[in-house]
Amino acid sequence: MSSLANQLVKAEKEEIARAIRTLLGQPLVSLHDDPAAFDVIRKRRQPLTQWFDYFCGWRLVVEPRQGYARLVKIRSEPVATRPARRRRTTRAPFDRRRYTLLCLCAAELLTSPVTTIGMLARRVVQAAAVEAGVPGFDPVRADERAAFVDALKLLEHYGAVTAMDGATDSYLADEDAKVLYRVDTTRVIRLLAAPVPPSRLAAATDPADPAGPGLLAALTVEARYGGDEPTETQRNLWARHSLIRRLLDEPVVYRDELTPAQAAYAASLTGRQIIRRAAEEAGFVLEERAEGFLLIDAEATATDTRFPDDGSHAKVAALLLLDLLVSAGPVTAARLDAEAAELLRRFPQWAKAYQSDGGGPRLAADALEVLALFGLARRTGDQVAALPAAARYRVERGTAVEED
């Protein structure tokens, strides 16, 4: 093979790897927001689709004419570590009310390719009134309009609606604000990543708890794995897909957290080869140790959050408290509260949101949440312990050397 051909093959592999990591960090890529990334995904959509299907069992939908690519990532176990967030300044997580309005808006937007904010609000009022268990929507109230605007702005962020005239924020101050929207109904449908449509779940829900764990389990049933009576082939397929999904989704995967099927697959010759191949083709560095696995993306493309990072006070505190956990072994939650309070005392101009009564425990709790999210610490009862991956953040203290 000529040198030019080798260079072309290498460039293609690098493009595919970069596109895989881009989709992992941003499952909805739009031509409008990131034209360079979308162009690569459009050009390499066949090998990308095959990669995600083989290694993860995830479906990749690329719509060149509509200008977006959607990776339908499915988790068999629901987690609350990636909530929808408000697009306004606070970036606070969505609460139950905002999720409810988001779903009602999405459902009503499917009826027309063009609408106004007033028409949509009226339709949401009507829909909420007839849905059992859904509180009514009252656009006269400022807090209700704020929740409604947060739902709409998230849909705007995803490209499901586009404001053609006016601004969504204007509805915050005036319920008679005029905003005209163009609706991408196909993209609205693509936002939901669930193997089973919610409309088919009426028979699967518990009347006493219609939004309980039974509903979530029913939403994530994937028929390709055989349900309650899988074949040997289906069990092996599920072991591969579920394990690699965890490796791609979680910062670190510990062996003691694997299911027996996942642990057996990871220990097999075939499993180790496939894990290494998946990491290589996606451009990750696979770190495999006795305690578990870690996929490292040197460019941090495949993630939406980083650590260490000075992006929040909780992350800074987490790094400082992690040194205590690594060096002192398991400590009590009260000890972490005291350490966080001491940080606030030493730096009175830092972390103003925590500089009040009870600020130390709140800062410690938020920092511990960060450490747990990144697989670096775990709380068991009143004890908090560092996990093996935390050793990479150990502070090396040098020895002073006297010069003659």
Side-chain angles (χ1 to χ4, degrees):
M1 185 178 293
S2 67
S3 175
L4 176 60
N6 283 332
Q7 292 176 7
L8 291 174
V9 170
K10 182 181 179 182
E12 179 180 355
K13 288 182 178 179
E14 290 175 350
E15 282 189 345
I16 292 172
R18 187 166 59 252
I20 290 170
R21 299 196 307 278
T22 297
L23 285 163
L24 288 171
Q26 187 181 345
L28 180 61
V29 178
S30 298
L31 172 63
H32 177 73
D33 296 327
D34 196 340
F38 177 76
D39 186 59
V40 172
I41 294 168
R42 177 194 57 77
K43 183 169 61 173
R44 305 298 184 189
R45 60 183 179 273
Q46 183 176 351
L48 288 170
T49 300
Q50 293 172 345
W51 191 93
F52 282 111
D53 179 68
Y54 179 78
F55 289 109
C56 316
W58 287 336
R59 186 163 57 96
L60 175 62
V61 179
V62 182
E63 296 286 358
R65 292 185 178 179
Q66 283 74 32
Y68 69 89
R70 173 69 164 121
L71 176 62
V72 185
K73 295 175 67 176
I74 301 168
R75 290 187 64 108
S76 56
E77 298 178 1
V79 294
T81 57
R82 291 293 188 274
R85 293 189 177 273
R86 306 174 199 182
R87 302 302 302 175
R88 292 186 289 154
T89 54
T90 62
R91 297 288 294 162
F94 266 36
D95 53 19
R96 186 182 184 91
R97 185 56 174 159
R98 284 167 171 77
Y99 278 121
T100 299
L101 291 175
L102 176 66
C103 293
L104 290 173
C105 287
E108 296 305 320
L109 286 170
L110 294 175
T111 61
S112 174
V114 178
T115 190
T116 66
I117 198 167
M119 292 173 59
L120 181 60
R122 288 191 292 272
R123 294 186 67 88
V124 170
V125 169
Q126 296 169 358
V130 299
E131 287 289 340
V134 175
F137 173 57
D138 182 5
V140 175
R141 292 170 46 187
D143 60 331
E144 287 280 81
R145 291 201 306 276
F148 183 70
V149 164
D150 286 332
L152 271 176
K153 288 183 73 68
L154 185 64
L155 290 168
E156 281 188 275
H157 171 67
Y158 289 136
V161 296
T162 304
M164 305 298 293
D165 186 24
T168 302
D169 284 327
S170 64
Y171 194 69
L172 290 168
D174 183 7
E175 64 176 300
D176 295 320
K178 307 298 182 185
V179 188
L180 177 67
Y181 293 110
R182 183 180 68 237
V183 183
D184 186 337
T185 54
T186 303
R187 194 178 303 206
V188 173
I189 295 172
R190 297 289 189 204
L191 293 180
L192 185 64
V196 181
S199 58
R200 298 183 185 176
L201 297 182
T205 58
D206 180 358
D209 187 15
L215 175 62
L216 294 175
L219 275 171
T220 57
V221 170
E222 297 176 79
R224 71 188 296 180
Y225 303 116
D228 295 332
E229 298 182 358
T231 64
E232 184 66 23
T233 299
Q234 288 171 324
R235 281 194 292 269
N236 290 335
L237 186 64
W238 172 243
R240 178 172 83 225
H241 287 171
S242 63
L243 175 58
I244 295 181
R245 287 178 185 182
R246 293 189 62 177
L247 290 171
L248 296 173
D249 259 351
E250 300 175 17
V252 59
V253 176
Y254 294 106
R255 294 184 190 272
D256 61 1
E257 296 176 343
L258 297 177
T259 66
Q262 291 170 343
Y265 186 82
S268 69
L269 177 61
T270 299
R272 291 198 301 271
Q273 290 175 339
I274 289 180
I275 290 171
R276 291 168 184 166
R277 179 181 152 201
E280 180 183 357
E281 291 182 7
F284 289 105
V285 176
L286 173 64
E287 188 172 306
E288 183 178 357
R289 297 182 180 272
E291 300 87 357
F293 305 88
L294 183 66
L295 288 180
I296 301 171
D297 177 11
E299 299 176 354
T301 304
T303 184
D304 59 348
T305 184
R306 303 182 185 190
F307 185 83
D309 182 14
D310 60 358
S312 72
H313 297 124
K315 285 186 175 181
V316 174
L319 186 59
L320 296 172
L321 295 177
L322 187 60
D323 185 41
L324 170 67
L325 292 174
V326 172
S327 60
V331 301
T332 64
R335 172 87 182 272
L336 284 185
D337 292 348
E339 291 288 334
E342 176 62 16
L343 285 174
L344 295 173
R345 187 195 66 77
R346 288 171 54 198
F347 305 102
Q349 301 304 314
W350 175 71
K352 293 292 185 64
Y354 297 95
Q355 295 284 356
S356 61
D357 291 342
R362 286 191 291 110
L363 180 59
D366 290 347
L368 183 55
E369 184 178 340
V370 170
L371 295 176
L373 173 65
F374 285 92
L376 300 174
R378 180 185 297 153
R379 178 170 179 170
T380 305
D382 191 47
Q383 296 289 312
V384 181
L387 294 174
R392 65 177 52 241
Y393 301 103
R394 182 188 296 275
V395 177
E396 298 292 342
R397 293 174 172 81
T399 303
V401 178
E402 295 184 3
E403 295 184 1
D404 294 334

